[in-house]
Amino acid sequence: MNDKAHAHHLFQNIYYGHVDKGDMDTAVTAFHPDVDWSHAQVWAHHEFARGEPSRIHGRAAVHDLLSARVEKLKDAKITHHVCEMVMEGDKGAFLGAVRGPGPDKHFMVWFELTDGYVSRYDLRPL
C-alpha cells in the first residue's frame, strides 16, 4: 500500500468508518498518540453549531471527546466520506463530505503522518 492509499485507509476505513459506527475505541487507532487534532463542526446537530472549533492534543483526548458525543452522532444519522485526496511525502489534504438528512456538507482536512499514524488533523467546513 502506498502512502496515499494508507492515508485514505486511515481516514475512511479506520477513523470515519468507526466514528460512523459509534466505535470510538477503534476510530482513534488512526491517530498518533501525540496527535494535534483540530475540528470545526461541519454538520450542525444537537447543541453543536456549524463552524464551532475544537482543538485538542493527544489520542486519549480525542477518544474522550468522541466518546462523549457517540450517542449524538448516532442520532444525527450522518456519515463521513473522503472524496478527493492529494499527498506529498508525509503531508496532504482531502476534500470530504458529511452525508445525512438534507444536502451534503463539505469540508477540507489538512493532515500529517508520523510513523504510519495521523499526527496532525485540521478539519474546516467549506
Side-chain angles (χ1 to χ4, degrees), residues 15 19 37-55 65-66 69 72-74 76-80 97-98 105-109 121-126:
Y15 181 51
V19 164
W37 189 92
S38 179
H39 177 278
Q41 192 68 31
V42 176
W43 191 285
H45 63 92
H46 297 83
E47 72 275 10
F48 307 115
R50 181 172 163 81
E52 184 177 305
S54 298
R55 288 192 171 285
L65 181 138
L66 294 175
R69 295 183 176 187
K72 292 175 181 176
L73 285 166
K74 284 182 189 178
K77 297 180 174 73
I78 57 176
T79 58
H80 300 78
V98 177
K105 303 290 186 191
H106 299 277
F107 61 93
M108 193 218 61
V109 170
Y121 175 82
D122 192 352
L123 182 147
R124 296 292 176 255
L126 298 175

Side-chain angles (χ1 to χ4, degrees), residues 17-33:
H18 288 279
V19 164
D20 293 344
K21 293 175 189 173
D23 177 4
M24 304 315 174
D25 293 341
T26 302
V28 298
T29 64
F31 296 116
H32 190 276

Side-chain angles (χ1 to χ4, degrees), residues 3 16 24 39-40 46 59 77 79 91 104 117-119:
D3 290 342
Y16 295 135
M24 304 315 174
H39 177 278
H46 297 83
R59 182 191 292 161
K77 297 180 174 73
T79 58
K91 298 176 182 173
D104 290 356
Y117 297 97
V118 178
S119 56

Side-chain angles (χ1 to χ4, degrees), residues 74-121:
K74 284 182 189 178
D75 186 51
K77 297 180 174 73
I78 57 176
T79 58
H80 300 78
H81 303 271
V82 175
C83 300
E84 296 180 51
M85 180 181 286
V86 294
M87 189 167 176
E88 184 173 327
D90 61 356
K91 298 176 182 173
F94 64 86
L95 297 174
V98 177
R99 297 182 179 135
D104 290 356
K105 303 290 186 191
H106 299 277
F107 61 93
M108 193 218 61
V109 170
W110 170 260
F111 66 90
E112 295 179 20
L113 301 181
T114 301
D115 300 328
Y117 297 97
V118 178
S119 56
R120 181 174 175 196
Y121 175 82

